[in-house]
Amino acid sequence: MARTYDYLFKLLLIGDSGVGKTCVLFRFSDDSFNNSFISTIGIDFKIRTIDLDGKKIKLQIWDTAGQERFRTITTAYYRGAMGIMLVYDITNEKSFENIKNWIRNIEEHASQDVERMIIGNKCDMEDRRVVSRDRGQQLSIEYGTKFMETSAKLNHNIEEAFYTLARDIKGKMERGQGQTVGVGGTTGRYQQDSTIAAQGNNLCKNRHTFHCDFIAF
Amino acid sequence: MRRYLRREKRWLSILKQQPRSTPCNQLTDLVWEGIPNKLRIKAWPHLLNVNFFKKVHGGHKIYIELMARARLISKHVKQIDLDIGRTYRHHVAFRRRYDIKQQSLFNVLVAYSVYNTEIGYCQGMSQIVALLLMFLDEEEAFWCLHTLMISPKHSMHGFFVSGFPKLQRFEAHFKALLKNYEPRIYENFERELIPFFFVTKWWFGCFLDRVPFPLALRLWDIFLLEGDQVLMAMALNIMEMHSRTIRMLSLEKFMEFIQSRLSDNFGYSDDDVMNNLRKILYKIRRDNHHPKSPILQEGPQRPFGSVLEHTMMDIHEHVHDIRMQFMNISNRSTGLASPKIYPPNGRTLASGDNPSLKNERS
């Protein structure tokens, strides 16, 4: 079957329960918003293909349950992710403080070269804000990630967030590809290796081979 | 119409009898036909033999006592409140925030969170309890939930407890069954690298939200009667009935199929689905391929309701102490938003972080 895209990126949404991960995703994939989405049990999945600098990029986005208990299931899917969005709720202090824990989780379970981005969602609820923009910014500087405040409800910065993350992955990938010519780290290989969440050792092994290529410079 | 009335009459005569450990053929056939909606209020507790578990594990007053304590000390208040805000909000009973059924949902879930402390509260339980509350009153729903968790036939404890041991066991078993009964689908899953996480949502809520609601009700009827073998059989049934589609699907198309298409329209009449499910359930049983259950380690290890050893007075005092400490801390830091809480008798509780009882037995 003919492929309708140039690149395939796998993204993951994580963060505390109720911060709006599913809403962010639905706004991006279906351009819809519903105040009373049902809670995610386990993992859900959406796709959207975007145009980026003349390339068609298919984003495969995995949405995870926020309750801590589900981490035993969800961390298994970190390994295959090329980009991770860490979402907190600007009206919920705890969800912001927990970003540190989520980062630790990524460091433990995801690939070293995964692109990360911190998202402060629900920025339409200014009257209930408890986490200032500056604190969000500060945290992202501390961890060396990009940062954006979004509102899934008002469709504010949602597109921008996903495009930015995709652009960063693409940039990293192309830089990597440029230098691995002749080593075997081609785009096709990258796609193949990172299409799916790490299922079984085989895939993990492939990913690791890729990392060796990648980290070498 | 006459057939319907005859069925109802047969139901009424059965419901007068004591539940038996092995249901008679007449009852089994009736449940497979679908329980009349207005009789679920009696039939569901009957099928679960709820009175037995209520008698063994508690007695009459326990629920009220638990609830009173739980509202003060449950660690799960916030998560429960959050999930109630997104449980069956399109259903008339749960549409309005903090309305009567939402209060019942809150009460049952917090009461259970201090009763079965190994589970506490796990996402997915709010849908189950909401479903029960569509037919039953609070106390009955509480005991039905407990029975679902611990009865050997259903043993959902193993699904919801940390680490999800039963989910892992069932998933492995399902893979083996699929390989055996639907090898072409299994090959497609391998080829397309389709992970099996979709079964989580299927089994945690016995297919709620993943098939149209009327069909989910029929599945619940039979789940209550037959137990967790239904979960395995229905998973296989979906695969078999949609085999020609599923074995052609890529990961993306498959996920869309599971997440949206089946819940919008299953593609077969409810009767057809149930008939085929019955065939598959019995086939797996005949082949002796159902998972062996229950597994002892997946069941509850701690005693239930040890919180009841503390009097309300002790708890009030303790909560008061913690609240004072909490206020001292929060005066020093930024103000924390506390959710509006379901007020008992119109009194508003500032839930704060709902401090848990420190000396609560673990």
Side-chain angles (χ1 to χ4, degrees):
Chain A
M1 208 163 64
R3 259 212 327 245
T4 52
Y5 55 88
D6 300 304
Y7 300 123
L8 175 67
F9 293 169
K10 195 193 137 188
L11 311 180
L12 194 69
L13 282 164
I14 58 175
D16 277 11
S17 184
V19 297
K21 297 179 291 296
T22 307
C23 289
V24 166
L25 179 54
F26 265 72
R27 173 57 83 188
F28 181 67
S29 65
D30 296 23
D31 195 19
S32 65
F33 179 81
N34 183 338
N35 254 325
S36 52
F37 266 118
I38 51 175
S39 48
T40 308
I41 312 291
I43 296 172
D44 273 343
F45 176 97
K46 285 269 171 195
I47 46 160
R48 187 179 144 185
T49 305
I50 59 171
D51 267 321
L52 202 65
D53 312 325
K55 297 277 185 210
K56 283 218 178 314
I57 299 184
K58 185 185 267 192
L59 301 178
Q60 207 181 66
I61 312 159
W62 303 60
D63 180 23
T64 59
Q67 197 185 14
E68 186 159 350
R69 195 168 305 185
F70 283 91
R71 283 193 207 170
T72 44
I73 299 181
T74 53
T75 45
Y77 293 86
Y78 283 29
R79 179 65 63 192
M82 297 150 80
I84 297 183
M85 271 190 186
L86 295 117
V87 189
Y88 70 89
D89 167 2
I90 64 146
T91 72
N92 180 343
E93 173 76 26
K94 194 89 199 243
S95 74
F96 177 69
E97 284 167 16
N98 275 339
I99 290 288
K100 289 193 175 101
N101 297 330
W102 288 110
I103 296 246
R104 204 171 309 138
N105 247 288
I106 295 178
E107 282 163 358
E108 218 170 291
H109 298 282
S111 312
Q112 274 186 347
D113 61 327
V114 68
E115 280 294 331
R116 301 168 305 176
M117 179 173 209
I118 296 177
I119 297 286
N121 192 36
K122 305 195 190 177
C123 72
D124 52 287
M125 294 162 89
E126 200 53 56
D127 53 327
R128 287 177 55 190
R129 177 193 283 273
V130 292
V131 183
S132 70
R133 223 196 110 80
D134 279 355
R135 288 174 68 207
Q137 193 86 57
Q138 204 53 46
L139 189 75
S140 69
I141 292 170
E142 200 179 309
Y143 287 111
T145 72
K146 289 250 169 71
F147 169 70
M148 261 185 210
E149 285 199 345
T150 60
S151 163
K153 191 174 184 176
L154 301 182
N155 198 6
H156 175 70
N157 265 350
I158 300 290
E159 294 271 308
E160 289 79 353
F162 280 98
Y163 271 80
T164 307
L165 189 59
R167 186 168 288 121
D168 288 351
I169 295 170
K170 182 166 167 280
K172 187 180 263 184
M173 197 189 77
E174 284 169 350
R175 279 198 307 280
Q177 188 192 354
Q179 300 187 33
T180 47
V181 173
V183 186
T186 64
T187 315
R189 169 104 170 274
Y190 192 85
Q191 282 167 359
Q192 231 177 13
D193 290 350
S194 43
T195 306
I196 307 294
Q199 285 284 302
N201 286 337
N202 248 349
L203 199 61
C204 282
K205 249 184 252 157
N206 287 344
R207 285 286 292 165
H208 283 304
T209 343
F210 165 74
H211 288 311
C212 296
D213 293 345
F214 196 85
I215 294 162
F217 19 67
Chain B
M1 187 65 191
R2 199 181 295 159
R3 192 167 158 250
Y4 182 81
L5 287 173
R6 209 170 47 228
R7 197 150 61 103
E8 206 170 287
K9 224 164 136 190
R10 278 157 64 198
W11 263 111
L12 290 171
S13 82
I14 279 183
L15 291 173
K16 274 190 212 133
Q17 301 162 12
Q18 283 293 319
R20 298 190 213 166
S21 52
T22 357
C24 62
N25 291 341
Q26 189 197 9
L27 176 65
T28 306
D29 287 342
L30 276 174
V31 179
W32 276 104
E33 282 175 33
I35 303 172
N37 214 24
K38 64 176 177 187
L39 291 180
R40 285 201 171 100
I41 185 174
K42 289 270 177 227
W44 281 8
H46 181 94
L47 293 178
L48 282 172
N49 198 2
V50 160
N51 281 337
F52 170 78
F53 290 92
K54 200 198 276 188
K55 218 180 286 169
V56 171
H57 286 271
H60 183 55
K61 280 198 181 139
I62 274 200
Y63 174 67
I64 304 289
E65 295 283 326
L66 277 171
M67 193 177 67
R69 285 162 175 75
R71 297 177 69 105
L72 293 167
I73 60 159
S74 172
K75 288 182 281 189
H76 301 273
V77 165
K78 273 193 169 176
Q79 183 70 56
I80 290 170
D81 178 56
L82 188 66
D83 286 348
I84 289 174
R86 39 190 186 168
T87 303
Y88 288 118
R89 295 302 297 279
H90 55 275
H91 189 279
V92 65
F94 298 98
R95 191 167 294 158
R96 282 180 47 163
R97 204 68 179 104
Y98 306 103
D99 214 355
I100 187 124
K101 275 289 175 184
Q102 284 206 2
Q103 288 187 37
S104 296
L105 183 54
F106 178 81
N107 290 342
V108 173
L109 289 170
V110 284
Y112 201 71
S113 73
V114 297
Y115 183 61
N116 183 343
T117 50
E118 276 166 275
I119 291 184
Y121 170 74
C122 179
Q123 290 192 308
M125 285 163 66
S126 70
Q127 271 95 341
I128 294 181
V129 176
L131 175 77
L132 296 171
L133 285 169
M134 288 176 200
F135 301 99
L136 312 172
D137 71 21
E138 249 182 75
E139 191 172 346
E140 199 80 341
F142 175 87
W143 288 109
C144 280
L145 174 69
H146 183 54
T147 308
L148 282 168
M149 293 293 178
I150 62 152
S151 80
K153 230 177 3 182
H154 305 89
S155 56
M156 293 189 97
H157 185 99
F159 279 137
F160 290 110
V161 77
S162 282
F164 308 134
K166 185 170 174 178
L167 176 68
Q168 291 181 23
R169 177 167 63 90
F170 261 48
E171 196 182 305
H173 195 93
F174 177 60
K175 276 185 199 168
L177 281 188
L178 195 66
K179 201 172 178 179
N180 188 32
Y181 289 110
E182 291 292 335
R184 291 178 70 179
I185 294 184
Y186 186 83
E187 279 161 24
N188 186 47
F189 280 9
E190 295 245 293
R191 192 170 47 240
E192 296 291 327
L193 295 171
I194 294 175
F196 279 76
F197 64 75
F198 57 90
V199 292
T200 311
K201 174 109 179 166
W202 276 2
W203 291 338
F204 275 37
C206 182
F207 301 92
L208 283 174
D209 298 330
R210 285 294 198 231
V211 299
F213 192 67
L215 176 59
L217 281 178
R218 298 277 303 264
L219 292 172
W220 267 83
D221 289 342
I222 217 65
F223 173 55
L224 298 183
L225 175 84
E226 301 271 6
D228 56 14
Q229 295 184 348
V230 171
L231 302 177
M232 196 61 77
M234 183 59 194
L236 205 59
N237 191 28
I238 293 176
M239 295 294 153
E240 191 189 285
M241 293 188 95
H242 293 285
S243 168
R244 299 183 79 149
T245 312
I246 292 176
R247 65 191 187 213
M248 308 297 288
L249 295 179
S250 64
L251 168 71
E252 287 151 17
K253 293 271 188 277
F254 175 74
M255 288 315 297
E256 202 247 322
F257 185 77
I258 294 292
Q259 287 172 190
S260 318
R261 255 185 52 207
L262 284 181
S263 56
D264 290 343
N265 179 358
F266 194 85
Y268 292 92
S269 76
D270 292 356
D271 285 334
D272 284 350
V273 179
M274 297 311 287
N275 287 339
N276 210 53
L277 173 64
R278 194 172 189 178
K279 263 189 244 154
I280 289 184
L281 183 78
Y282 292 166
K283 183 169 75 181
I284 304 176
R285 206 172 274 173
R286 204 176 45 240
D287 297 349
N288 204 12
H289 280 167
H290 273 298
K292 307 278 175 283
S293 72
I295 302 284
L296 208 57
Q297 299 89 311
E298 289 174 6
Q301 314 287 322
R302 289 185 212 155
F304 300 116
S306 45
V307 66
L308 291 167
E309 289 164 17
H310 303 275
T311 67
M312 280 301 283
M313 191 116 80
D314 287 348
I315 290 174
H316 270 298
E317 267 176 31
H318 199 86
V319 168
H320 178 76
D321 289 351
I322 292 176
R323 198 163 279 165
M324 292 307 284
Q325 287 171 17
F326 178 73
M327 273 166 68
N328 287 338
I329 295 166
S330 62
N331 281 345
R332 271 180 268 142
S333 65
T334 49
L336 296 183
S338 46
K340 186 179 160 192
I341 275 302
Y342 312 80
N345 313 322
R347 205 158 46 89
T348 304
L349 275 176
S351 80
D353 258 352
N354 216 26
S356 66
L357 195 67
K358 267 192 185 158
N359 56 359
E360 184 185 351
R361 285 236 190 123
S362 57

